[in-house]
Amino acid sequence: MDRPQALVRRAVAAAETVAREVGLRCTEPVVLSARGNAVVHLAPAPVVARVSTLTAWTRRDPAAWLRREVAVAATAAANGGPVVPPTDLAHPGPYLAGGLSLTLWRHVTVSPERAPAPAAGEALAALHDALQHHAEPLPRLTVVHDLVTEGLAALHRHRAVDAAVLNGLRRVHAEILRDLPANAGPAIVLHGDAHPGNLLRVGDRWLWTDLEETCTGPRAWDLAVLSNQSGSPADGAAAVLAYAAAAGVPVPTPQDLAPFVRARHLEGTVWVLGMAHQYPDRYAGIADGMLRLVLQS
């Protein structure tokens, strides 16, 4: 398994390889981020490569997640939705280079602010609206099913956690799947990971990025993610209230969202455990705390 620095170098090399193949001029690649994915500006081309690095470890077929992301983002952009669009200077992918899957996106100039709660809620409503007529079939709630199942399989395969922990996580997963409400509303196209950290300030707009976990399901999933990761309970409530006003739907109660919040906690814990196995210096402490909370729930 590559150390993180070596993995980033592989990601840059893969991005440069694809840039050459598609005719993009890339002489000064710049790593913009290197967390779950490596994000590389293929400068001077106005294109960014998103390379599946650490995230790919927990996914059976990383390219499938990227393919759905590109398709959904393209639909949203075509309908004026608030997303960073795939590039139109080459096919956006996904591509495979150096054993890594990657996609190509328009480079945008980003301000450092974090989206305030009401703006995040309104941006999510606008995204859902722009995706109403997405034509390509999508799987249902992969965030609750596949992400957790494949993540647990990777943890088992690499002996990243002991058997008792793994069995405990599988027990919690079974309980969550059993308790998810069947009548939480109509299925829509979801962002899948709709927290304010995935909103970028570009000019006078807030644009969504990182739609790899897109799928279909009740809007309660995206609202649970938004409410639970908006800074404070008051911010989460404000984000949900702004969403409901913009979307013209009833305001869900905390009880409505609770099963999805619990599922999100499990998904996040499994993901962080995978990251901690690969990059313990960054993630191990976070993983331990999250694991205790999930197994006690």
Side-chain angles (χ1 to χ4, degrees), residues 83-97:
V83 293
V84 176
T87 185
D88 57 4
L89 298 180
H91 191 286
Y95 297 91
L96 182 65

Side-chain angles (χ1 to χ4, degrees), residues 165-191:
V165 168
L166 196 64
N167 289 336
L169 291 169
R170 286 173 173 153
R171 172 187 56 78
V172 172
H173 189 210
E175 291 172 358
I176 284 170
L177 293 178
R178 181 197 66 206
D179 293 342
L180 281 180
N183 57 347
I188 65 170
V189 178
L190 302 171
H191 179 290

Side-chain angles (χ1 to χ4, degrees), residues 11-297:
V12 172
E16 290 179 301
T17 296
V18 170
R20 287 192 298 271
E21 289 176 354
V22 301
L24 295 172
R25 182 168 174 259
C26 173
T27 57
E28 307 167 40
V30 178
V31 177
L32 303 178
S33 177
R35 298 184 74 85
N37 292 317
V39 182
V40 184
H41 178 199
L42 302 176
V47 177
V48 166
R50 286 175 52 86
V51 189
S52 188
T53 50
L54 296 179
T55 300
W57 187 86
T58 61
R59 296 179 181 175
R60 183 177 53 81
D61 182 6
W65 298 83
L66 302 186
R67 189 174 298 110
R68 291 193 292 266
E69 178 185 29
V70 166
V72 168
T75 294
N79 291 327
V83 293
V84 176
T87 185
D88 57 4
L89 298 180
H91 191 286
Y95 297 91
L96 182 65
L100 299 173
S101 296
L102 65 94
T103 48
L104 302 176
W105 300 82
R106 183 181 300 172
H107 178 264
V108 294
T109 301
V110 178
S111 298
E113 309 112 273
R114 184 176 173 91
E122 291 165 1
L124 183 59
L127 178 67
H128 286 172
D129 182 64
L131 293 173
Q132 285 188 73
H133 303 295
H134 181 64
E136 179 182 332
L138 295 170
R140 181 177 173 83
L141 282 180
T142 50
V143 283
V144 183
H145 295 278
D146 297 21
L147 271 185
V148 177
T149 300
E150 293 181 13
L152 292 175
L155 294 174
H156 173 70
R157 187 165 58 249
H158 294 277
R159 299 181 181 178
V161 296
D162 64 39
V165 168
L166 196 64
N167 289 336
L169 291 169
R170 286 173 173 153
R171 172 187 56 78
V172 172
H173 189 210
E175 291 172 358
I176 284 170
L177 293 178
R178 181 197 66 206
D179 293 342
L180 281 180
N183 57 347
I188 65 170
V189 178
L190 302 171
H191 179 290
D193 193 18
H195 62 82
N198 280 333
L199 270 174
L200 304 178
R201 181 71 169 182
V202 179
D204 62 354
R205 301 183 73 195
W206 290 103
L207 302 183
W208 289 103
T209 186
D210 192 7
L211 282 81
E212 284 183 38
E213 295 172 20
T214 189
C215 56
T216 61
R219 69 183 78 241
W221 172 265
D222 273 356
L223 292 176
V225 174
L226 183 65
S227 67
N228 194 243
Q229 293 186 267
S230 290
S232 70
D235 285 339
V240 171
L241 190 64
Y243 174 92
V249 298
V251 180
T253 67
Q255 292 73 27
D256 293 330
L257 299 182
F260 298 96
V261 170
R262 188 183 182 210
R264 171 65 172 187
H265 286 165
L266 175 64
E267 181 218 339
T269 299
V270 172
W271 184 84
V272 170
L273 286 169
M275 297 303 102
H277 180 70
Q278 301 171 87
Y279 199 167
D281 291 347
R282 176 179 288 176
Y283 290 102
I286 302 170
D288 288 344
M290 294 177 69
L291 180 61
R292 284 194 298 272
L293 288 174
V294 164
L295 293 180
Q296 291 167 6
S297 65

